[in-house]
C-alpha cells in the first residue's frame, strides 16, 4: 500500500510517499481502507515536532512514521476480540494514539471508531472527530447570553465551536487573521477581531474564552475575563500551557475567575453528538480544500501556515 512517511521532525519536505507492506490488525484492532483523512493542527505539530508536547511519542525522532488521526473509511480486516465491527462497515474516528491516516490503509483500535452516518460523505465524517470533540468540550456549559470569545476561531475546531456556541445562545466573538473574518461571520460570529491588528485581551469582558492557540500571558487573559468567567486553552506553546496551569490557576482563583487547560475527551462519545448535529443540519462541516495522498505535504502546509478556513481533507479514491 502507499503511505506518507516521516523519519524525522522537520518541514513538509521531510515527507515522502512510498510503498510499504499492508499492516495487520492486532487484538482489538481493525484495518481501515482509508477514504478520507482530515488534517488537524496536531498533525502539523507532529510533523515539525513543536510545541514540545508533539514529541511525547518520540523526543528525537517520531516513533509513528505516518501521521493522520481523523480517518474515515471501510473496515477491511479485523483482529482478534473485535466485537463491534466487521469487514465492509463504514467507520470514522480520531485515531490519535496510532495515527497512520495518510496512507491507503490504517490500523485503529475499535474503541476509537464509530459507524459513519450514511448521510455524511467520508470527507465530511473525517472532518468531525478531533475538531468536533474540541468544540463540543470547549462550549460545554455555554448558555443563553454567555459572552464567549474563541481565539483561533477560523480553523477546524473554531468553525465548529462558533456554530455550537451560537446555537446555545451565546454572543460570540471570533479571533483569527484578517483573511478569516468574513468566514467567521458567515458561521454566525457576532463580532470578529483580526489578531494581527488588534489585541482581544483589551476587549471584553468575556464570560468564556476558548483559546485554540494560547500565546498570551495569563494576566492578559485574566484581564479579558468577567468576574466568575472561565478561560480554557486547548493548544499552544508548552510554556504558555504551563503558565496557565500554574500561575493562571492561582491568579484566577484570587480574582474569582478560572483559568485552565481543556483536556479533550477521546473516543466516539466525544464526537458522535457533533456528527449527529451535522446530520440533522444544525451544524455545517466546512471543508476548505481537499488534496490527494501525493499532496499531503501541501495539505499539512495549508493548515500549518493557517491558510485553511475550516477543515482540509486528504481524499484517497
Ligand atoms: N487539549 C487537548 O486535549 C487537545 C486535543 C487535540 C488537539 N489539541 C490542540 O488543539 C489545537 C487547535 O487545533 P485546530 O486543528 O483547531 O487548529 P487550526 O484548524 O489550525 O486552527 C487554529 C487557528 O488559529 C489561528 N491562529 C494562529 N495563531 C493565532 C493567534 N496568535 N491568535 C489567534 N488565532 C491564531 C490560525 O490561523 P493563522 O495561523 O493564519 O493565524 C487558525 O485559523 C492544536 O494546537 C492541537 O494540538 C488539543
Amino acid at each position: 500500500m502507499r503511505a506518507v512517511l516521516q523519519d524525522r521532525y522537520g518541514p513538509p519536505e521531510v515527507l515522502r510517499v512510498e510503498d510499504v507492506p499492508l499492516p495487520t490488525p492486532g487484538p482489538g484492532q481493525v484495518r481501515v481502507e482509508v477514504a478520507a483523512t482530515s488534517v488537524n493542527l496536531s498533525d502539523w505539530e507532529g510533523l515539525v515536532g513543536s510545541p514540545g508536547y508533539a514529541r511525547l511519542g518520540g523526543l528525537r525522532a517520531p516513533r509513528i512514521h505516518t501521521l493522520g488521526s481523523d480517518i474515515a473509511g471501510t473496515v477491511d480486516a479485523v483482529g482478534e476480540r473485535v466485537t463491534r465491527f466487521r469487514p465492509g462497515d463504514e467507520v470514522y474516528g480520531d485515531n490519535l494514539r496510532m495515527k497512520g491516516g495518510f496512507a491507503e490503509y490504517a490500523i485503529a483500535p475499535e474503541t476509537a471508531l464509530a459507524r459513519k452516518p450514511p448521510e455524511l460523505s467520508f470527507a465530511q465524517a473525517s472532518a468531525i472527530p478531533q475538531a468536533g470533540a474540541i468544540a463540543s468540550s470547549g462550549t460545554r456549559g455555554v448558555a443563553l447570553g454567555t459572552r464567549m470569545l474563541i481565539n483561533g476561531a477560523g480553523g477546524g475546531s473554531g468553525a465548529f465551536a462558533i456554530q455550537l456556541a451560537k446555537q446555545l445562545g451565546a454572543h460570540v466573538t471570533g479571533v483569527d487573521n484578517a483573511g478569516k473574518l468574513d468566514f467567521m461571520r458567515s458561521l454566525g460570529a457576532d463580532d470578529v477581531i483580526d489578531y494581527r491588528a488588534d489585541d482581544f485581551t483589551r476587549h471584553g469582558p468575556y464570560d468564556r474564552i476558548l483559546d485554540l492557540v494560547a500565546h498570551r500571558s495569563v494576566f492578559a487573559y485574566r484581564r479579558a475575563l468577567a468576574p466568575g468567567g472561565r478561560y480554557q486553552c486547548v493548544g499552544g506553546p508548552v510554556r504558555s500551557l504551563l503558565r496557565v496551569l500554574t500561575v493562571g490557576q492561582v491568579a484566577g482563583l484570587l480574582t474569582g475567575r478560572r483559568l485552565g487547560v481543556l483536556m479533550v475527551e477521546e473516543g466516539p462519545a466525544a464526537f458522535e453528538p457533533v456528527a449527529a448535529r451535522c446530520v440533522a443540519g444544525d451544524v455545517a462541516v466546512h471543508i476548505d480544500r481537499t488534496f490527494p495522498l501525493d499532496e499531503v505535504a501541501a495539505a499539512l502546509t495549508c493548515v500549518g501556515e493557517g491558510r485553511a478556513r475550516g477543515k482540509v481533507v486528504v481524499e484517497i479514491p
Side-chain angles (χ1 to χ4, degrees):
M1 69 159 187
R2 289 163 70 241
V4 179
L5 301 178
Q6 168 197 17
D7 292 326
R8 60 186 174 90
Y9 297 114
E13 291 71 36
V14 305
L15 297 172
R16 63 184 193 282
V17 186
E18 259 185 29
D19 276 319
V20 297
L22 201 59
T24 306
Q29 298 174 341
V30 303
R31 185 171 64 207
V32 178
E33 185 180 0
V34 180
T37 297
S38 81
V39 180
N40 290 290
L41 192 57
S42 56
D43 292 308
W44 173 261
E45 294 167 347
L47 170 67
V48 299
S50 172
Y53 55 74
R55 293 184 184 233
L56 285 176
L59 196 58
R60 289 172 179 275
R63 191 175 44 81
I64 292 173
H65 296 284
T66 299
L67 294 166
S69 301
D70 269 349
I71 59 172
T74 306
V75 172
D76 96 311
V78 299
E80 290 168 31
R81 299 196 294 276
V82 167
T83 56
R84 293 172 50 228
F85 302 113
R86 58 184 182 187
D89 286 345
E90 294 185 345
V91 295
Y92 73 119
D94 183 0
N95 196 17
L96 192 60
R97 307 281 161 127
M98 300 186 72
K99 302 190 172 67
F102 297 138
E104 288 175 327
Y105 293 84
I107 301 291
E110 67 166 338
T111 51
L113 301 174
R115 242 166 247 278
K116 181 183 83 63
E119 297 85 351
L120 299 177
S121 67
F122 285 112
Q124 288 172 322
S126 77
I128 295 171
Q130 194 173 118
I134 291 173
S136 176
S137 306
T139 52
R140 194 161 296 147
V142 169
L144 188 64
T146 302
R147 293 164 294 179
M148 178 161 201
L149 179 133
I150 303 169
N151 189 35
S157 312
F160 285 119
I162 291 177
Q163 296 181 75
L164 293 177
K166 279 307 296 173
Q167 288 188 4
L168 292 165
H171 180 280
V172 176
T173 303
V175 184
D176 213 304
N177 69 53
K180 297 182 187 173
L181 303 185
D182 285 341
F183 175 61
M184 293 189 291
R185 280 194 203 97
S186 76
L187 296 169
D190 300 287
D191 294 320
V192 292
I193 295 174
D194 169 6
Y195 76 85
R196 290 176 184 157
D198 203 352
D199 176 358
F200 78 81
T201 68
R202 298 200 175 276
H203 293 264
Y206 301 99
D207 305 305
R208 290 280 295 267
I209 298 176
L210 173 63
D211 194 355
L212 300 160
V213 278
H215 287 289
R216 305 296 311 279
S217 82
V218 291
F219 300 105
Y221 294 135
R222 191 192 58 183
R223 175 173 66 215
L225 278 179
R230 182 170 197 186
Y231 166 92
Q232 291 176 299
C233 59
V234 182
V238 169
R239 65 175 184 283
S240 299
L241 304 185
L242 287 176
R243 278 198 303 249
V244 169
L245 280 172
T246 52
V247 187
Q249 297 227 344
V250 178
L253 279 176
L254 291 175
T255 57
R257 295 157 174 86
R258 283 185 291 171
L259 289 90
V261 175
L262 177 71
M263 294 314 293
V264 181
E265 289 159 31
E266 287 177 41
F271 61 77
E272 278 191 295
V274 180
R277 307 282 295 273
C278 296
V279 169
D282 299 336
V283 172
V285 181
H286 285 276
I287 296 174
D288 185 333
R289 282 186 69 182
T290 60
F291 291 83
L293 189 63
D294 287 330
E295 294 176 24
V296 162
L300 283 161
T301 305
C302 187
V303 171
E305 291 182 350
R307 277 184 274 123
R309 292 173 186 81
K311 294 288 296 189
V312 163
V313 173
V314 172
E315 280 190 300
I316 306 169

